[in-house]
Amino acid sequence: MKTGQKPETLTYTERKEKLENLFEKVENNEPDASFAIGFPASESKEYASTSGLVSDLIIPTTVDDVYLSWIGSGLGIGVAGGFTILFDDPAITLQTFEGWKVYRKYLKDDGLDKLRGNQINTWNGQWLKYSLDEDLFREDFDFAELTNNKIFEVGSTLVEVNTVNWSELFFSLSQLYPKGELTGYVYGLGQTNKTIGFIPFYFKSGTRIIEVYKQLFGSANTDKKKFEALFGMHIKRACELGSIGLQALRPEKLKDFMSSDKTISFKKEEDTINYFAYKTWLVAMLSKNKEEITDYTLEIAETIQRYRNGSKGMERPTLINKELFASKTKKGFIDALTVMVKDLDTNDLERIKKLKDEIHLMTNEEFGYFCTLLKFDYAFLEKNLKNINYNNNDLY
């Protein structure tokens, strides 16, 4: 193989020669990262590399260990962000192996000579996401079907597998383990190896998101793929939490609204699906069980809207936007409610008094979620988007 030559450009003879050289290395050399996946880097100057795994301890290694490292690395699930996840789970391993047959078929297809090689981990992520999705998967799928689902990106000079978002993979695995959890090993192998370590994945959190969505929006006409892709912070940030669950599924852009006074507005259809995702996650974080999943904040938002519309001038809008919604503390929020009380009718007065009592009992974290959710519901009402277009096609 020539220096800088890409694996997909190798001829059959070159591939055969390369494998023979590797087999010879396995039989005659001490294992290192040049031919054993995940092993320490070679100390030979030829490779000019460093490794934190080098040790004076003699660790017994068999030829089988080296070959199994090749197979094991092929079972990793590549996700966006430059990381790979490995699950020690029979069902996921078998499902991944079934996808190998499909990928190999496309690699051998003479009509797909532009297909990039060496993407097995990236393929694993897309295959698991597609094959585990009961609504999406078809037994008679073909290359065109996979391309339409953005699994493959077809260019003029290259065809390659797109990298899946970890959150989309998470939702698919949630269908395999709706109430379960697994520990995954998160790492990245490349010019610079990255190891995050063993991270618990709570797939029941994906099930929780779906349950909350159904109770809030029923059969809203929402693009499932776009909806699921909105969830999840960067995989590295998610792992820093210590586990992958509801907290890690926080929509990435939602943090901009939670940590600042950024104005919330709805100007296009894309804003509506963002609203669905943001509200679903916030309600999931606030509610402990199914009975607590309500449109309570939407009712409060309607009350605030009636208050604002009850007089002319900018006094009430200013109170709402500059004091109530801009409050960083429970005290500031309650102070703004106190100003509203004298101008409310009996029903709205009772609702605001009840709200004040509930705010008192919230933790600071819960208050942050609640206030953000209330601002989204209020902005949603402002743009008259309450009458969502429903049909009989459930998102889940």
Side-chain angles (χ1 to χ4, degrees):
M1 183 174 177
K2 299 174 184 177
T3 303
Q5 187 177 8
K6 296 181 179 179
E8 60 265 28
T9 64
L10 292 171
T11 64
Y12 171 79
T13 302
E14 288 171 330
R15 288 179 186 276
K16 185 172 182 292
E17 182 183 345
K18 183 175 177 61
L19 279 173
E20 288 173 349
N21 290 336
L22 282 173
F23 292 144
E24 185 180 345
K25 271 191 169 184
V26 172
E27 295 291 340
N28 302 311
N29 295 69
E30 279 296 315
D32 63 55
S34 67
F35 62 91
I37 310 298
F39 280 62
S42 170
E43 294 186 294
S44 170
K45 292 181 180 179
E46 176 185 353
Y47 297 105
S49 57
T50 57
S51 174
L53 297 176
V54 176
S55 171
D56 290 334
L57 297 176
I58 304 300
I59 301 175
T61 305
T62 67
V63 170
D64 285 346
D65 290 333
V66 176
Y67 289 140
L68 288 171
S69 77
W70 298 0
I71 298 172
S73 68
L75 289 168
I77 307 167
V79 294
F83 286 91
T84 303
I85 308 169
L86 187 63
F87 291 106
D88 183 10
D89 177 76
I92 294 177
T93 299
L94 182 59
Q95 191 75 14
T96 302
F97 174 70
E98 291 299 320
W100 284 5
K101 302 174 186 178
V102 179
Y103 188 48
R104 170 51 60 189
K105 180 183 73 172
Y106 291 138
L107 287 172
K108 293 173 65 176
D109 191 330
D110 292 336
L112 292 172
D113 58 312
K114 296 178 183 177
L115 180 59
R116 176 183 169 188
N118 203 28
Q119 279 197 290
I120 187 63
N121 298 133
T122 306
W123 164 260
N124 291 342
Q126 288 286 9
W127 170 254
L128 288 173
K129 172 179 166 289
Y130 176 70
S131 63
L132 292 174
D133 192 323
E134 297 175 355
D135 299 324
L136 192 64
F137 180 73
R138 294 194 299 112
E139 292 287 349
D140 60 343
F141 70 88
D142 54 19
F143 185 81
E145 166 80 6
L146 300 184
T147 302
N148 289 335
N149 282 290
K150 303 300 182 183
I151 293 175
F152 287 105
E153 184 70 32
V154 179
S156 58
T157 59
L158 185 68
V159 177
E160 58 185 338
V161 183
N162 289 317
T163 310
V164 70
N165 289 328
W166 74 262
S167 59
E168 296 176 272
L169 172 70
F170 188 91
F171 281 112
S172 293
L173 292 176
S174 294
Q175 296 187 49
L176 189 62
Y177 294 108
K179 299 296 181 184
E181 60 186 69
L182 288 174
T183 297
Y185 182 66
V186 184
Y187 63 96
L189 297 179
Q191 285 186 326
T192 301
N193 293 342
K194 299 168 288 186
T195 301
I196 287 183
F198 294 95
I199 302 293
F201 284 73
Y202 297 103
F203 295 120
K204 55 189 175 183
S205 298
T207 306
R208 175 66 172 165
I209 289 289
I210 295 169
E211 289 175 347
V212 172
Y213 176 90
K214 284 181 176 180
Q215 288 194 243
L216 287 175
F217 304 111
S219 56
N221 184 19
T222 305
D223 187 314
K224 178 179 178 180
K225 186 174 181 180
K226 288 182 180 179
F227 178 80
E228 291 183 348
L230 289 171
F231 289 89
M233 58 185 69
H234 189 283
I235 183 65
K236 188 176 181 181
R237 300 284 85 78
C239 290
E240 287 174 356
L241 295 172
S243 63
I244 306 292
L246 268 180
Q247 184 73 43
L249 283 169
R250 185 195 68 196
E252 182 67 20
K253 294 183 179 179
L254 179 58
K255 66 179 180 182
D256 295 337
F257 299 101
M258 296 181 65
S259 59
S260 69
D261 296 330
K262 186 175 180 179
T263 302
I264 299 173
S265 62
F266 295 92
K267 298 177 180 178
K268 48 190 175 183
E269 186 177 346
E270 181 183 339
D271 293 331
T272 305
I273 194 171
N274 288 343
Y275 167 73
F276 287 159
Y278 296 168
K279 177 162 183 170
T280 298
W281 184 82
L282 288 164
V283 171
M285 291 298 292
L286 285 167
S287 55
K288 303 296 187 296
N289 52 59
K290 291 182 179 181
E291 289 68 31
E292 294 177 334
I293 301 174
T294 67
D295 252 343
Y296 176 63
T297 49
L298 192 60
E299 295 173 1
I300 297 297
E302 290 172 340
T303 299
I304 296 172
Q305 189 181 56
R306 282 193 294 272
Y307 168 78
R308 186 212 60 193
N309 294 335
S311 70
K312 296 180 181 180
M314 293 301 298
E315 183 179 348
R316 292 188 181 183
T318 299
L319 174 67
I320 293 169
N321 296 317
K322 301 298 183 181
E323 296 185 41
L324 184 71
F325 289 152
S327 299
K328 301 296 183 184
T329 64
K330 294 190 290 182
K331 181 181 184 304
F333 190 88
I334 291 173
D335 286 345
L337 290 180
T338 302
V339 176
M340 293 172 54
V341 166
K342 60 183 177 60
D343 297 311
L344 297 174
D345 62 28
T346 303
N347 291 333
D348 286 344
L349 179 60
E350 289 302 314
R351 186 173 289 116
I352 294 300
K353 283 183 176 179
K354 181 181 177 183
L355 172 63
K356 179 177 70 68
D357 294 337
E358 291 179 347
I359 294 294
H360 268 303
L361 297 175
M362 290 181 185
T363 65
N364 290 332
E365 183 180 34
E366 288 172 336
F367 170 71
Y369 295 148
F370 180 86
C371 195
T372 303
L373 177 56
L374 182 59
K375 286 190 285 186
F376 270 105
D377 277 335
Y378 183 81
F380 194 66
L381 288 175
E382 284 287 276
K383 291 299 179 180
N384 298 314
L385 295 176
K386 187 178 177 182
N387 295 320
I388 306 169
N389 178 28
Y390 290 93
N391 61 24
N392 293 322
N393 298 317
D394 286 349
L395 174 59
Y396 292 98

